[in-house]
Amino acid sequence: MSKETSLANPETAVRLATFDQHRGLLFSVAYRMLGSVADAEDMLQETFIRWQQARDEEIRSPRAFLITIISRLSINHLQSARVRREEYVGQWLPEPLVAGEGNDPLGILRVDESLSMAFLVLLERLTPVERAVFLLREVFEYEYAEIAAVLGQSAVNCRQILRRARQHVNAMRPRFKASRRKRTDMLQRFLQATESGDLEGLLNLLAKDVVLYADGGGKGLAVPNQVHGADKVARGVLGSLKKLAPKNLVRRAVEVNGRPGAVAYLNGKPFSVITFEAGEDGIRAIYVVTNPEKLSHLHDLPVDVN
């Protein structure tokens, strides 16, 4: 619908303004549910269509109505995506959100732990309904009665679902979180060690039980399975950079999903995104995304900094 048409129809203009007011919240829910920028934007578009088509008597609270639509759409999408996830080549990671982009999705999101790669990977252990209940309660602080209305469940059921979800998440949640300053320092040291091929320097940064996750989707440079242990991860990273990675990559430190990270560019185009999760004993998890489809929403390297 064109802007001129919206302005010519006062009711439509009000609907559009109301939707725009809640756009950040809706994208926040959809992205955390789906781990995909493209899918979250599709859910936003479908929610907007249903919002425009809804009758006034159906809408008691615009915010509740919109959250209900996008939550249910996201659950349905996740349920249909299960087969595709199972058939995915190699490891599956969320699409990275990079700060500083021209159309910066982080600008409309509340950035907290629940946006990090580590947290989104944890959420993959939950069923779609568990994921929705957990996010609405733990991240967006909805009351049980509100969650029940959104999902068409009883409040008692929602409490039980949340209890199960918490057990799954808390069992894998790190007990220690490094400060932002420490994470930023680790990133700089990590980039220096990998660029110079410094095995000892890299080992000093890694926790003994560090895990490397790499998502190439069968289309980008990536190991097919998780790599465990500091020595294997360090040697694997340095070996891949030396033998397989293009020599003319340009790396830039950025913020990825609210954590320090880096984008590598090949001939000005995004080639890979890396971020990590740090604990008291060093880097505990490294996340690398090289699947070009998951980097397609990122901007090219600006000419003036290349």
Side-chain angles (χ1 to χ4, degrees), residues 156 251 269:
V156 172
R251 292 199 283 187
K269 303 290 184 182

Side-chain angles (χ1 to χ4, degrees), residues 1 7 30 38 40 73 85-86 109 125 143 150 159 173 186 194 213-214 246 254 283 289 294-295 303:
M1 184 174 294
L7 293 176
L73 286 173
R85 294 276 179 89
E86 291 171 0
L109 288 171
R125 297 174 176 272
E143 298 298 329
V150 167
R159 286 180 183 273
R173 220 172 191 166
M186 283 183 171
T194 52
Y213 302 82
V254 294
I283 295 174
V289 179
K294 293 188 175 184
L295 305 179
V303 176

Side-chain angles (χ1 to χ4, degrees), residues 26-164:
L26 299 175
F27 185 85
S28 292
V29 171
Y31 175 75
R32 286 172 170 86
M33 281 287 293
L34 305 174
S36 166
V37 175
D39 290 344
E41 289 176 344
D42 287 345
M43 296 304 102
L44 270 180
Q45 181 63 28
E46 181 61 28
T47 299
F48 177 72
I49 292 171
R50 298 191 184 194
W51 168 246
Q52 291 287 66
Q53 295 174 343
R55 300 187 304 274
D56 288 342
E57 55 268 27
E58 295 180 80
I59 306 170
R60 294 184 179 180
S61 162
R63 184 175 186 269
F65 185 86
L66 289 167
I67 285 292
T68 297
I69 294 175
I70 205 156
S71 296
R72 293 182 178 182
L73 286 173
S74 296
I75 288 172
N76 291 339
H77 186 85
L78 267 184
Q79 290 170 336
S80 66
R82 287 288 177 178
V83 174
R84 295 200 303 274
R85 294 276 179 89
E86 291 171 0
E87 296 174 348
Y88 192 80
V89 178
Q91 303 172 70
W92 186 94
L93 289 175
E95 288 183 18
L97 292 177
V98 175
E101 291 288 315
N103 182 20
D104 183 3
L106 287 177
I108 63 171
L109 288 171
R110 184 176 71 184
V111 179
D112 56 22
E113 181 205 8
S114 68
L115 197 63
S116 70
M117 280 279 184
F119 195 85
L120 293 175
V121 169
L122 279 182
L123 292 184
E124 286 296 302
R125 297 174 176 272
L126 306 182
T127 68
V129 173
E130 286 175 343
R131 194 162 180 160
V133 171
F134 185 87
L135 288 171
L136 290 174
R137 179 63 180 172
E138 297 289 281
V139 177
F140 299 102
E141 300 177 340
Y142 272 56
E143 298 298 329
Y144 287 107
E146 294 175 301
I147 299 171
V150 167
L151 301 182
Q153 302 262 356
S154 70
V156 172
N157 283 346
C158 288
R159 286 180 183 273
Q160 294 173 341
I161 293 169
L162 179 64
R163 188 179 303 113
R164 291 197 304 268

